[in-house]
């Protein structure tokens, strides 16, 4: 049973560029949440996707957007990258929008130079 | 708004000694509470969770946590620490009306031989 997978593992981008991160949820899960974890901090909730729609959103600007596909996989897009966007981006999946038992992927380390 | 405070940034214990990691939360209603562990380069693994019922919760790897409503605390304990427990530990709270979690900034555990 595959757990949550994320790609790529590491990514280096330049300020102003755009980036797309990908997540495949644990088998059987239909809800995907994205978190940003800056160095030395806890994860911060970006948004959650359920039934291909954004259902919840944290305090992140519109530069952060996402998508969920019919197979429940998800993408996180960040436009106009800033140095402060450098972080570990974590994807978590769960079965159902209101279920708190989330399974996290290993994350994508984004470095913006 | 919900929030989580982990007062100890870094804790060092000797192998075989007992461990207690502190977590204080702020939330208006009965919270959903979680402890996660994160090893270097890896995602978050759920150790245990509290939704309701018995205030002493047992988790994986020999960990337990106690929910104390009067103190707004959910401290994590382990009677005997193993070298493999060295990692970052995060406490999180989930609101009952939203499918997202708010994390503390974590406590780094170092285990001395």
């Amino acid at each position: 049973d595959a757990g949550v997978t994320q790609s790529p593992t590491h990514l280096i981008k330049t300020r102003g560029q755009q980036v797309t991160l990908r997540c495949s949820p644990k088998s059987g899960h239909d809800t995907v949440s994205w978190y940003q974890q800056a160095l030395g901090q806890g994860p911060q909730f970006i948004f959650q996707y359920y039934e291909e729609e954004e259902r919840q959103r944290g305090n992140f600007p519109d530069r952060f957007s996402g998508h969920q596909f019919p197979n429940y996989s998800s993408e996180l897009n960040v436009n106009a990258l800033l140095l402060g966007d450098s972080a570990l981006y974590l994807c978590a999946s769960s079965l159902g929008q209101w279920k708190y038992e989330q399974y996290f992927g290993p994350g994508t380390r984004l470095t913006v130079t | 708004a919900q929030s989580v405070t982990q007062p100890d940034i870094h804790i060092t214990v000797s192998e075989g000694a007992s461990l207690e990691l502190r977590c204080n939360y702020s939330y208006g209603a009965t919270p959903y509470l979680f402890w996660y562990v994160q090893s270097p380069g890896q995602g978050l693994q759920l150790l245990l969770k509290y939704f309701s019922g018995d205030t002493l919760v047992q988790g994986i790897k020999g960990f337990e946590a106690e929910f104390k409503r009067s103190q707004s605390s959910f401290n994590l304990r382990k009677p005997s620490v193993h070298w493999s427990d060295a990692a970052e530990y995060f406490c999180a709270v989930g609101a009952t009306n939203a499918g997202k979690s708010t994390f503390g900034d974590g406590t780094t555990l170092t285990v001395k031989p």
Side-chain angles (χ1 to χ4, degrees):
Chain A
D1 179 20
V4 180
T5 59
Q6 294 186 241
S7 62
T9 305
H10 295 89
L11 205 51
I12 300 175
K13 290 286 189 177
T14 304
R15 270 183 304 175
Q17 287 188 315
Q18 179 264 344
V19 68
T20 297
L21 311 181
R22 295 176 176 81
C23 171
S24 292
K26 179 178 169 62
S27 179
H29 285 185
D30 59 5
T31 303
V32 172
S33 299
W34 286 92
Y35 291 82
Q36 180 195 66
Q37 185 179 16
L39 201 60
Q41 296 183 19
Q44 290 198 346
F45 177 78
I46 302 175
F47 43 54
Q48 180 191 73
Y49 276 83
Y50 173 70
E51 293 186 336
E52 302 180 46
E53 290 190 13
E54 183 183 295
R55 299 292 180 168
Q56 300 280 342
R57 189 178 183 92
N59 189 26
F60 280 80
D62 292 345
R63 298 186 298 109
F64 289 77
S65 63
H67 190 76
Q68 185 178 36
F69 299 93
N71 67 353
Y72 307 122
S73 66
S74 177
E75 289 182 349
L76 164 65
N77 301 291
V78 186
N79 295 321
L81 284 168
L82 304 174
L83 294 179
D85 294 332
S86 295
L88 180 69
Y89 287 84
L90 295 165
C91 170
S93 74
S94 59
L95 178 58
Q97 182 183 359
W98 308 114
K99 298 300 183 184
Y100 292 93
E101 189 149 0
Q102 300 180 93
Y103 291 80
F104 282 82
T108 293
R109 173 71 63 186
L110 172 65
T111 301
V112 182
T113 62
Chain B
Q2 61 205 57
S3 66
V4 175
T5 301
Q6 294 181 246
D8 305 305
I9 296 173
H10 194 174
I11 282 183
T12 299
V13 299
S14 298
E15 190 168 15
S18 63
L19 170 70
E20 182 169 26
L21 302 182
R22 295 184 291 165
C23 172
N24 294 100
Y25 68 90
S26 174
Y27 181 63
T30 300
Y32 293 169
L33 294 162
F34 310 85
W35 274 100
Y36 291 88
V37 61
Q38 185 177 38
S39 298
Q42 297 191 19
L44 301 173
Q45 182 183 20
L46 179 67
L47 287 175
L48 47 77
K49 61 184 183 290
Y50 171 79
F51 284 178
S52 64
D54 193 348
T55 56
L56 185 62
V57 180
Q58 301 298 321
I60 63 171
K61 304 185 178 185
F63 286 93
E64 67 177 26
E66 186 170 12
F67 169 57
K68 292 185 177 180
R69 184 189 302 274
S70 62
Q71 299 177 19
S72 297
S73 69
F74 189 57
N75 294 348
L76 182 71
R77 301 193 295 248
K78 186 169 185 178
S80 178
V81 171
H82 188 263
W83 63 266
S84 61
D85 293 325
E88 186 92 16
Y89 290 80
F90 292 94
C91 180
V93 61
T96 54
N97 61 347
K100 64 178 183 179
S101 295
T102 298
F103 287 78
D105 283 338
T107 297
T108 301
L109 174 64
T110 298
V111 180
K112 293 190 304 183

